[in-house]
Amino acid sequence: MALLAAGGFVVAGCSAPGPEEVTFFADGKTVNVTPLASCDIKSAQCTTRPDAAGKLRIRPGKPVQISVPSAIAETPWKVTVQYVNGKGEPQELKQDIITSLDRFAYTVTTPRPDDQILVVEVAQASVISQTGRPEDAEAVTTAIWSLQVEPPAA
């Protein structure tokens, strides 16, 4: 399964999220996931861990609950969902940007009960400005966590 790009946030350096984990819960199963990629804005160093993606077997139509620690909840973060309909046809990506700076949980649902979630990603952002002026500020992705869904065995 392909990983989603963290579209909507520009991937760049950030304050390092360290070993922060995101918890994904679905269909009676839980997995804690470390970042696939994380960057430090001060050093401009990025770390990638391609094997860090979590995996869960989830039936069609089942929601995915996400729980993030305060280090993520206190920053802007985004949820991106890739899914297919009951015929296996890819559907438009679902994205939601959370900017409340105090939201620790999110539930992913699909429009129809036979839709199958394939990938859920959480992207943490930092807001930076190259000039120091607020009007030049932009959100940049600082870390990405990914859940790769394994459909149930037929």
Side-chain angles (χ1 to χ4, degrees):
M1 256 178 248
L3 297 176
L4 300 174
F9 290 149
V10 178
V11 177
C14 69
S15 55
E20 297 294 341
E21 292 183 342
V22 169
T23 301
F24 295 93
F25 174 81
D27 213 358
K29 300 167 208 74
T30 301
V31 64
N32 294 327
V33 178
T34 57
L36 281 175
S38 59
C39 299
D40 184 313
I41 198 166
K42 293 178 180 149
S43 68
Q45 297 295 315
C46 294
T47 304
T48 59
R49 298 171 203 88
D51 59 340
K55 292 182 175 30
L56 286 178
R57 190 169 303 276
I58 303 172
R59 293 175 288 165
K62 293 297 180 182
V64 174
Q65 296 173 333
I66 302 167
S67 177
V68 301
S70 61
I72 298 169
E74 294 169 354
T75 65
W77 54 288
K78 179 175 71 168
V79 176
T80 303
V81 181
Q82 178 183 10
Y83 69 101
V84 294
N85 65 17
K87 297 177 185 176
E89 301 165 333
Q91 301 298 295
E92 185 174 331
L93 292 178
K94 288 179 62 176
Q95 296 185 339
D96 197 4
I97 296 174
I98 294 88
T99 59
S100 64
L101 307 181
D102 65 354
R103 186 164 173 189
F104 293 82
Y106 185 92
T107 301
V108 174
T109 59
T110 57
R112 291 169 299 282
D114 61 344
D115 291 339
Q116 176 68 59
I117 294 172
L118 300 176
V119 180
V120 179
E121 285 190 351
V122 172
Q124 180 184 27
S126 289
V127 179
I128 64 167
S129 171
Q130 298 293 337
T131 64
R133 296 190 326 245
E135 63 270 15
D136 294 331
E138 65 178 308
V140 294
T141 298
T142 57
I144 300 172
W145 294 260
S146 184
L147 173 68
Q148 307 292 306
V149 173
E150 299 173 346

